[in-house]
Amino acid sequence: MICLGIETSCDETAAALVTGEGQVLGSVVASQIDLHEAFGGVVPEVAARRHLERLSPTVRRAIEEAGIGPEEIGLVAVTRGPGLAGALMVGLSFAKAYAFARGLPLVGVNHVVAHAYAAFLGAEVRYPELALVASGGHTVLLQLRGPQDALVLGRSRDDAAGEAFDKVARALGLGYPGGPLIEAIAREGDPLRCPLPVVRPIEGSLDFSFSGLKTAAQQRFLAGEGPADVAAAFQEAVLAQILSRTRVAIERLGARRLVFAGGVSANGFLRERLAQALAPLGVELVAPPMHFSTDNAAMIARLGLALYAAGERAPRELNAEPVIHPFKP
Ligand code: KG4
Ligand code: ZN
C-alpha cells in the first residue's frame, strides 16, 4: 500500500509517498520562508494563496520523484489540523478531490502527532511510546498508546519552544526562522557568562513554559551581553527544562525510549545533549532524520497509514480543525 501524504498547515506546501513499511519513496517540501521573511513571521492569507498555487505541482513532483504511476497510490492522508484555517482548507480540498476522483480512501491526520511519527519512518513503533514534540506552534509531551490514542502528559502553558527560539532570534537581530540561527551563533558563545533562570515545574504537572525564558534572554541582550553568549545560555535553559520534564515522565511511565520530534528537534545541540543525558538512565533517544524534523508530508503519510490500518476512514464532511480540542490523533 502506497500512501500520498499532503501537508499545508502552515508555511510549507508538502507532498510525499510512503509505503506501508514506512519507506519514503518521494518527499517534496516547497518552503514559503522567502515569502514571509519580510514580515518576520507567517501571514495566514498569503500562506493559503501560495499553497493554492504550489500544491498541485508539488504533488506531481513527489510522484515523479517516487517513480511510480498515480494508479499505484492506494490511500490519501491529509493534515486536518491544528494549523492556519485557510492553509489547512487548501490541502483538505485538494486531498478530498484527489481521493474522490480516484476512488481512494482518505484519512485526516493530526499534524502534531504526525511529527512524532516522523521518527517511525523506516523504523518500528513500539507502543506505548513517550514522545516530545517541540515545534513552532506546539510543545507537547505525549504518550502514544496506538495510532488513534495519544495522551497529552504535558504542554506549554505559553509560547511553544520553537516560537521562543524565533522570538529570541528576532530580539538578537538574527532573522527568521530563528532556530537554526540561534543554534549556529550559540556555538561561538559561552553559556555560563549569563545563565538564564531555571523554569521550575508547576507541582504535579509536566507542563512547559518558555515565555519567561524568552523575556530573560531579551533582557540580558539589552543589558549588553553578547548575542552568542545569550543564545548559548538560552539553549542550555531550554535543554534543562526539557530534561526536567521528560525525566519525570520517563520515571512515571517506565519508558525505555524517548521520541524527540518537531522543528526544534532539528537542533543538533539539543539532540546530542538529550541523548547523552538519557543514556545513563537506559533510555534511548529516537529522532527523525534531520530533514523530517521540520514540516513535511512523509510524516503525515506515515501516521495516515497507521490510522488506516487501525480502521480509520475520513467522513465526506472532513473539515479543517485549526484548534483540535479535545486533543486526538
Ligand atoms: O515543526 P515545524 O517545522 O513547524 C511547526 O509545526 O511549527 O517547526 C518550526 C520551528 C520554528 O520555530 C523553527 O525556529 C524551529 O522549528 N527550528 C529550530 C531549529 N530548526 C527549526 N529550533 C531550534 N533549532 C533548530 N535547529
Ligand atoms: Zn510542524
Side-chain angles (χ1 to χ4, degrees):
M1 161 77 85
I2 295 175
C3 176
L4 167 66
I6 290 171
E7 155 62 34
T8 62
S9 68
C10 191
D11 61 342
E12 324 274 5
T13 312
L17 292 128
V18 176
T19 68
E21 290 75 42
Q23 191 197 346
V24 183
L25 301 178
S27 171
V28 176
V29 179
S31 171
Q32 302 183 0
I33 284 181
D34 52 332
L35 193 65
H36 301 283
E37 226 167 11
F39 305 100
V42 180
V43 184
E45 174 64 19
V46 174
R49 282 167 193 257
R50 182 56 71 92
H51 285 309
L52 206 52
E53 290 165 18
R54 292 277 181 87
L55 185 51
S56 198
T58 301
V59 169
R60 210 173 309 127
R61 269 176 59 209
I63 292 173
E64 273 167 25
E65 192 182 297
I68 61 163
E71 70 288 350
E72 290 177 70
I73 296 170
L75 175 67
V76 181
V78 62
T79 305
R80 64 178 161 81
L84 305 170
L88 288 166
M89 271 159 64
V90 175
L92 272 161
S93 311
F94 182 97
K96 278 188 184 181
Y98 196 95
F100 186 69
R102 295 187 176 271
L104 297 173
L106 175 73
V107 289
V109 169
N110 179 315
H111 176 91
V112 177
V113 180
H115 266 300
Y117 277 76
F120 309 126
L121 286 164
E124 217 184 309
V125 45
R126 294 186 228 137
Y127 299 114
E129 297 270 10
L130 178 63
L132 173 67
V133 178
S135 70
H138 299 84
T139 298
V140 279
L141 194 54
L142 299 169
Q143 189 188 32
L144 307 175
R145 304 194 285 197
Q148 292 160 307
D149 187 3
L151 177 73
V152 178
L153 304 169
R155 63 197 328 160
S156 178
R157 295 208 174 182
D158 39 58
D159 290 357
E163 185 182 355
F165 266 93
D166 294 336
K167 287 178 177 170
V168 170
R170 198 189 305 175
L172 300 181
L174 298 177
Y176 168 86
L181 300 167
I182 294 264
E183 183 181 6
I185 196 177
R187 287 195 203 104
E188 320 297 324
D190 176 2
L192 299 177
R193 254 194 69 88
C194 56
L196 298 181
V198 176
V199 181
R200 296 197 192 291
I202 300 125
E203 207 170 330
S205 144
L206 290 172
D207 285 351
F208 299 84
S209 168
F210 293 101
S211 169
L213 272 186
K214 167 198 70 188
T215 309
Q218 285 166 344
Q219 283 170 348
R220 297 288 203 282
F221 179 64
L222 291 175
E225 299 291 351
D229 293 336
V230 173
F234 173 73
Q235 283 199 144
E236 284 288 349
V238 170
L239 172 72
Q241 188 176 159
I242 289 178
L243 260 175
S244 76
R245 307 312 192 256
T246 51
R247 271 207 191 105
V248 175
I250 285 166
E251 207 169 293
R252 267 191 211 164
L253 303 171
R256 304 259 52 99
R257 321 212 278 181
L258 173 71
V259 172
F260 180 38
V264 177
S265 75
N267 186 299
F269 163 86
L270 289 176
R271 269 190 191 210
E272 202 175 303
R273 290 283 301 278
L274 258 177
Q276 276 171 13
L278 297 179
L281 309 175
V283 175
E284 183 197 353
L285 188 76
V286 186
M290 283 288 186
H291 56 286
F292 291 134
S293 279
T294 45
D295 285 350
N296 65 86
M299 67 185 197
I300 304 301
R302 176 66 180 87
L303 176 53
L305 282 156
L307 286 167
Y308 180 78
E312 185 100 2
R313 305 289 183 271
R316 276 276 174 82
E317 60 276 15
L318 178 71
N319 207 348
E321 289 180 77
V323 179
I324 297 189
H325 188 79
F327 198 82
K328 47 186 193 250

